[in-house]
Amino acid sequence: MGLFRKQLLSVLEWKDDSKDTVVYRHPVEKREEIMNSSTLVVRESQVALFVHKGEIADVFGPGTYKLTTENIPFLTKLLSLPTGFESRIKAEVYFVNTKQFIGQKWGTQNPIMMRDADFGTIRLRGYGTFSYKVDDAKTFMKEVFGTNGIYKVSDLSEQCKSLLIQNISDAIGESGVSALDLVANYKEIANKIIECSQKEFLSMGLKLCQVVVENLSLPEEVEKTLDERSKLGILGDKMGTFAQYQAAQAMRDAAQNPSGGNLAGLGVGLGAGAQMGGLFANSIASAKDELPKKKCVKCGASISDNTKYCPECGASQNIKCPKCGEGVASGAKFCPNCGEKILSQKTCPKCGKQLNSNAKFCPECGEKV
């Protein structure tokens, strides 16, 4: 009789001192009988499952329970057995940890394919962390841990990571974020990953709580292209400028490999040289077109800002001081030689002589102005 009482459990509890245990069966090593009026202690972030003859009999949330037939429906069922609850009744108690298991790492072993508006089909690699918890202990027992006495995070790790990664491609596609904007939208992509993965986690009795995207990287060749385009950003990032840059790169590579050794290589070099000649000519012409312009003081032709004589009529573009006759640059307010104030100038329409703005007749030819 003494041995029988030693086997009976009076207090059932799990003092969890681990960081990675998801399920603990009490007791683990051997099945002992539970007596009427035993005490069940379920701590915060725990759920207790009573299993009798292979079936889940009851679920207990956080709290302290006196196991009597008056307040536990499960015991009423046991009491109806011929032997009554005071005899040896073997029941298993599983404590399930419902806290979040944080800092779980995920990473892509193989590239993830995605379509991008700028680069077409590209490959992505990424890594980060995620957290989850047990949301439905009964479903979790039926679908995942079964009758294992101890079930740890490491037992779930690979399955959870696989579920997460298989939904990342869908999440990125549905987010509509381009490759150039990935870094600025990590949080939005993480939320989309949770949305795409949650249904599969719930089917196992788990809940995906958080996903953190630490990095999504493009293939090396795409990153090099982005670097080249960034270099050209100073020049306006125009396609023409980019083509010139690429041609110059080809010329440099050809020059660095003069022993290519075949006529095809020589032809490529000559072709690139001819193309570069045309590009340089166009660049010089464009540069000329972009020089600052002004109008001739006599005929009004458009000329370069630093031109001293008009190429159309030959008129000098310098204004003469009305006092000492020294040449004065256009727009000057005082003569640099005598300090005379320079009035606004106008030109005789007949002989082209420079006149003061208040002159009514040209002193050279008498033309009325």
Side-chain angles (χ1 to χ4, degrees):
M1 186 66 180
L3 178 63
F4 171 70
R5 291 188 178 277
K6 186 177 180 180
Q7 288 180 329
L8 298 179
L9 297 178
S10 57
V11 178
L12 294 84
E13 61 180 340
W14 176 35
K15 297 178 180 179
D16 180 22
D17 57 358
S18 69
K19 295 182 179 180
D20 61 347
T21 304
V22 187
V23 178
Y24 167 80
R25 186 179 64 210
H26 183 83
V28 178
E29 297 180 355
K30 58 183 179 178
R31 312 293 172 84
E32 300 184 48
E33 288 76 20
I34 301 171
M35 59 181 285
N36 193 12
S37 298
S38 295
T39 300
L40 172 67
V41 179
V42 183
R43 290 174 168 78
E44 289 292 341
S45 75
Q46 291 181 358
V47 168
L49 297 176
F50 268 71
V51 177
H52 178 63
K53 291 187 177 181
E55 295 184 3
I56 299 175
D58 215 336
V59 181
F60 298 88
T64 300
Y65 303 89
K66 200 72 171 177
L67 302 181
T68 62
T69 57
E70 288 77 13
N71 54 17
I72 307 298
F74 151 64
L75 297 182
T76 303
K77 181 179 179 181
L78 293 183
L79 189 62
S80 64
L81 297 173
T83 57
F85 188 55
E86 292 299 333
S87 64
R88 299 183 180 187
I89 301 297
K90 291 185 178 181
E92 301 164 4
V93 182
Y94 291 86
F95 289 91
V96 180
N97 208 332
T98 59
K99 70 180 182 181
Q100 282 193 45
F101 293 96
I102 62 175
Q104 308 304 306
K105 297 185 180 297
W106 65 268
T108 55
Q109 293 183 349
N110 298 311
I112 299 171
M113 304 297 292
M114 69 167 285
R115 294 184 182 275
D116 184 73
D118 295 319
F119 302 102
T121 303
I122 60 175
R123 303 184 305 275
L124 288 177
R125 291 184 181 274
Y127 60 85
T129 61
F130 68 100
S131 64
Y132 64 88
K133 68 177 183 177
V134 176
D135 184 63
D136 186 336
K138 293 179 69 174
T139 301
F140 183 56
M141 181 178 189
K142 291 177 181 178
E143 301 294 333
V144 182
F145 77 86
T147 58
N148 286 282
I150 294 287
Y151 204 79
K152 298 200 171 187
V153 170
S154 57
D155 298 315
L156 279 170
S157 179
E158 290 303 319
Q159 178 66 14
C160 290
K161 282 195 292 187
S162 298
L163 285 178
L164 198 68
I165 292 172
Q166 79 174 7
N167 288 291
I168 289 178
S169 181
D170 291 341
I172 294 176
E174 292 180 15
S175 69
V177 177
S178 67
L180 295 174
D181 298 324
L182 285 174
V183 176
N185 291 274
Y186 278 175
K187 187 173 182 180
E188 289 75 10
I189 293 172
N191 291 336
K192 199 67 181 178
I193 293 172
I194 294 176
E195 181 182 331
C196 293
S197 307
Q198 196 68 270
K199 184 177 180 181
E200 291 168 304
F201 272 80
L202 291 175
S203 68
M204 298 190 303
L206 301 174
K207 181 179 180 180
L208 183 59
C209 301
Q210 186 182 38
V211 172
V212 176
V213 178
E214 296 182 19
N215 177 268
L216 288 174
S217 58
L218 296 167
E220 184 178 355
E221 59 272 18
V222 177
E223 291 184 346
K224 287 182 178 178
T225 302
L226 290 176
D227 290 341
E228 291 177 352
R229 292 179 63 176
S230 298
K231 293 176 184 177
L232 296 172
I234 301 174
L235 301 176
D237 199 23
K238 297 179 181 177
M239 288 304 295
T241 306
F242 186 69
Q244 293 178 25
Y245 175 77
Q246 293 286 57
Q249 294 288 92
M251 283 289 290
R252 184 199 65 183
D253 294 340
Q256 290 177 350
N257 188 25
S259 59
N262 54 44
L263 293 177
L266 179 59
V268 170
L270 291 175
Q275 182 182 10
M276 283 303 296
L279 290 173
F280 287 141
N282 291 336
S283 297
I284 293 172
S286 299
K288 287 182 178 180
D289 292 338
E290 294 175 0
L291 288 175
K293 300 291 185 180
K294 69 178 180 180
K295 290 186 178 181
C296 173
V297 297
K298 181 178 179 181
C299 67
S302 179
I303 59 177
S304 298
D305 190 45
N306 58 354
T307 301
K308 295 181 178 180
Y309 296 92
C310 176
E312 295 292 331
C313 65
S316 174
Q317 301 305 302
N318 286 333
I319 301 170
K320 291 183 179 181
C321 173
K323 182 178 181 180
C324 66
E326 181 72 19
V328 181
S330 177
K333 297 182 179 180
F334 297 91
C335 174
N337 185 50
C338 66
E340 180 72 9
K341 184 176 181 180
I342 305 300
L343 300 175
S344 301
Q345 302 289 309
K346 61 184 177 181
T347 306
C348 174
K350 184 176 181 180
C351 67
K353 184 175 178 60
Q354 298 293 324
L355 308 173
N356 288 332
S357 61
N358 57 356
K360 296 182 179 180
F361 294 91
C362 176
E364 186 74 24
C365 64
E367 180 73 13
K368 184 178 179 179
V369 294

